[in-house]
Amino acid sequence: MTLKIGLLQTNTGIDPAIEAERLATQIGEAAAQGAQIIFTPEMSGLLDRDRARAAGNVRAEADDPVLAAVRDAAARHQVWVQLGSLALRGSAEKFVNRGFLIRPDGSIAARYAKIHLFDVALGTESWRESAAYEAGEEAVVATTPWGPLGLTICYDLRFPALHRALAEAGAQIIAVPAAFTRPTGQAHWHVLLRARAIETGCWVVAAAQTGEHQDGRATYGHSLVIAPWGEVVLDMGEAPGIGIASIDLAAVATARGKVPALEHARPFRVVTA
């Protein structure tokens, strides 16, 4: 089965109203190009490292204008949308980084809250995602007409056990929406995504943020589509825009038939000597 997918590579800012309108327009454009399912990046509605300012724009899921606009666009254009993630109200004290799979009627098919939070120091850059966000606890594989879709978000990419668990649960495609920093992107983005595809025998679809953002950060771009054998099918470079790719889902069985690593996994223990 061949599936035509769309990727939105965005330069998200600090005003959700602007992003909602932009996403709705781009979903329509990607659908007009034949995309059957459209993937958006992490933090598609708001990218703001000023947490006090961001707090004024973060809503509960039921009240979020970006989610509402994307659901409406999915229904209007009769297309599936994997909304990479949004910053939403979680507990009383923290936000949640939550992604969605939206059906062509606008209903929500699945939700996923980012499990691994980005707490790192990168020379002059320091990030403490856990200071403002609560971590998810459940991995999610969602049903689509083309087969199971595994959901992850950004820093999850560095945890191969999560991706293996998604593949073992049936995933044939894994979504990796991201807002990768430039230093980590230049060093690790391509190699990690190719590794996750090869290890799992899955298609990997990674819609990414790109460029200089209003909040002062810079993201790496290079939204990618990677085949189960590790080939890069689409690399969108650094410019914002829409990417379209056709993927052959039969490639999953072919790759796994050549190297059945999922079947060969064995339990083991670690000893120190």
Side-chain angles (χ1 to χ4, degrees), residues 190-212:
H190 287 75
V191 67
L192 286 174
L193 285 165
R194 293 189 67 201
R196 298 296 88 86
I198 294 165
E199 291 164 352
T200 62
C202 287
W203 284 94
V204 169
V205 180
Q209 295 282 351
T210 192
E212 307 283 342

Side-chain angles (χ1 to χ4, degrees), residues 5 7 14-15 32 36 42 51 80 86 90 94 98 101-103 115-116 127 130 139 160 176 197 217 239 249 272:
I5 64 174
L7 285 77
I14 62 175
D15 186 339
Q36 296 163 277
E42 179 184 29
R51 287 165 181 159
W80 288 77
L86 299 173
K94 290 190 176 183
R98 183 180 297 152
L101 179 64
I102 300 170
R103 300 184 185 95
I115 293 174
H116 301 99
W127 303 90
S130 66
V176 189
R217 82 181 74 198
L249 293 173
T272 57

Side-chain angles (χ1 to χ4, degrees), residues 25-254:
T25 298
Q26 290 181 316
I27 287 168
E29 292 172 352
Q33 295 180 54
Q36 296 163 277
I37 180 170
I38 297 163
F39 295 80
T40 82
E42 179 184 29
M43 293 295 176
S44 286
L46 174 71
L47 201 61
D48 192 354
R49 65 184 306 176
D50 183 329
R51 287 165 181 159
R53 182 175 58 196
N57 287 313
V58 176
R59 303 283 183 266
E61 180 181 311
D63 302 320
D64 188 78
V66 179
L67 178 58
V70 171
R71 293 179 65 182
D72 179 71
R76 186 165 62 254
H77 300 289
Q78 292 291 286
V79 65
W80 288 77
V81 178
Q82 201 282 300
L83 177 55
S85 83
L86 299 173
L88 297 169
R89 291 284 173 185
S91 67
E93 297 181 355
K94 290 190 176 183
F95 308 149
V96 62
N97 189 342
R98 183 180 297 152
F100 298 86
L101 179 64
I102 300 170
R103 300 184 185 95
D105 64 0
S107 63
I108 296 173
R111 297 169 174 84
Y112 167 70
K114 185 177 183 179
I115 293 174
H116 301 99
L117 301 182
F118 192 54
D119 290 356
V120 302
L122 301 169
T124 59
E125 295 185 11
S126 179
W127 303 90
R128 290 280 298 171
E129 192 173 15
S130 66
Y133 289 83
E134 57 190 34
E137 297 180 347
E138 295 181 339
V140 176
V141 176
T143 300
T144 79
W146 310 281
L149 170 66
L151 303 179
T152 76
I153 299 173
C154 200
Y155 191 50
D156 285 333
L157 176 59
R158 295 182 181 274
F159 299 87
L162 171 60
H163 296 74
R164 184 178 190 90
L166 294 172
E168 289 176 340
Q172 298 183 33
I173 305 169
I174 297 177
V176 189
F180 246 60
T181 67
R182 280 189 180 161
T184 57
Q186 290 166 351
H188 301 145
W189 177 246
H190 287 75
V191 67
L192 286 174
L193 285 165
R194 293 189 67 201
R196 298 296 88 86
I198 294 165
E199 291 164 352
T200 62
C202 287
W203 284 94
V204 169
V205 180
Q209 295 282 351
T210 192
E212 307 283 342
H213 296 264
Q214 283 179 289
D215 72 344
R217 82 181 74 198
T219 53
Y220 183 61
H222 291 276
S223 297
L224 298 177
V225 177
I226 301 176
W229 197 243
E231 308 97 321
V232 176
V233 172
L234 173 69
D235 184 334
M236 291 182 64
E238 298 181 0
I242 298 169
I244 302 291
S246 293
I247 66 176
D248 180 5
L249 293 173
V252 173
T254 299

